[in-house]
Amino acid sequence: MKLDELVAIDIHTHAEEPCCGPRDDGYDEFQAGMAKYFKNPAGHKGMLPTVEETAFYYRERKIGCVIFPVDAERETGFRRYENEEVARIAAENSDIMIPFASIDPAKGRVGAREARRLMREFGVKGFKFHPTMQGFYPNDRMAYPLYEAIAEEGAISLFHTGQTGVGAGLRGGMGMRLKFSNPLHLDDVAVDFPDMPIILAHPSFPWQEEALSVATHKPNVYIDMSGWSPKYFPPILVQYANTILRTKMLFGSDWPAITPDRWLADFEKIDIRDEVRPLILKENARALLKL
């Protein structure tokens, strides 16, 4: 990865399309709901990008990207995109891609063993957790064996926080409960794993101040600004990004729900200081990922 040639590093992109053949029951409805919420046709049948297509898209734009699947099989019934497959494709596109993985923490020590193997044998640099989709509180001790493995190997944990478009507008929210994604639950994790970098993904509506509080108080906690167009960022998020959290804010798009083209265009229009923009777009991620 030629970092000096990159204009940005997107810390939050998804490997969405199932790798296992036909889509599972309910998957089309799930993606159609996402497409409607984000006003983006990417979720419609046949229109989700493959990981290879994602690499091509980002390479054209000279943007590095962290990519991951989401293991929510237990709660959603949707088979996960195999971590090994995502990591393999990322390795083939290592000029532009960095692999993260996803493991449902309910898998306990089996999941911890898988995590160690992925980090040691496949070069996985971090793990994505989605408490709303996976149905768990981040500070549930059930998840700690997995966190221990991640922390001991020096990798990163990235957690969905707040309410974004997942399940929005669908009957019963597709069974997804927002309470699990309050960022305050991650304060316990930051205390118990003080050397494990933790990223709070998205503006954490309706708990934005809780997220800013945790990131301010705990040195190992960062915030990625994905999942929302910057034009909708709450003023307090912009204020903190410009000041005391300027080295802890990270560009993320939430591809393919939000494209980096859209995110970056809207980011240009908000009141971010000139000296802070390169930190958010690339330099903070570069330091965190140790690139």
Side-chain angles (χ1 to χ4, degrees), residues 90-125:
E92 293 170 353
N93 294 276
S94 60
D95 62 311
I96 212 73
M97 279 187 159
I98 299 162
F100 276 26
S102 182
I103 298 171
D104 185 342
K107 292 176 178 174
R109 297 197 180 281
V110 170
R113 186 162 60 244
E114 178 186 353
R116 291 185 192 278
R117 180 173 58 82
L118 289 166
M119 290 181 281
R120 294 173 182 177
E121 298 179 16
F122 289 85
V124 164
K125 302 298 184 186

Side-chain angles (χ1 to χ4, degrees), residues 1 50-59 63-65 67 85-99:
M1 186 172 286
T50 65
V51 178
E52 291 90 346
E53 288 168 341
T54 297
F56 179 82
Y57 179 98
Y58 276 82
R59 187 176 292 113
I63 301 173
C65 63
I67 191 161
E85 179 74 1
V86 175
R88 180 188 65 77
I89 300 170
E92 293 170 353
N93 294 276
S94 60
D95 62 311
I96 212 73
M97 279 187 159
I98 299 162

Side-chain angles (χ1 to χ4, degrees), residues 30 39 52 76 96 108 139 147 175 184 190 220 272-273 284:
F30 166 68
K39 298 180 174 62
E52 291 90 346
T76 66
I96 212 73
N139 56 357
Y147 299 160
L184 196 59
N220 57 323
I272 297 291
R273 295 174 181 172
N284 292 342

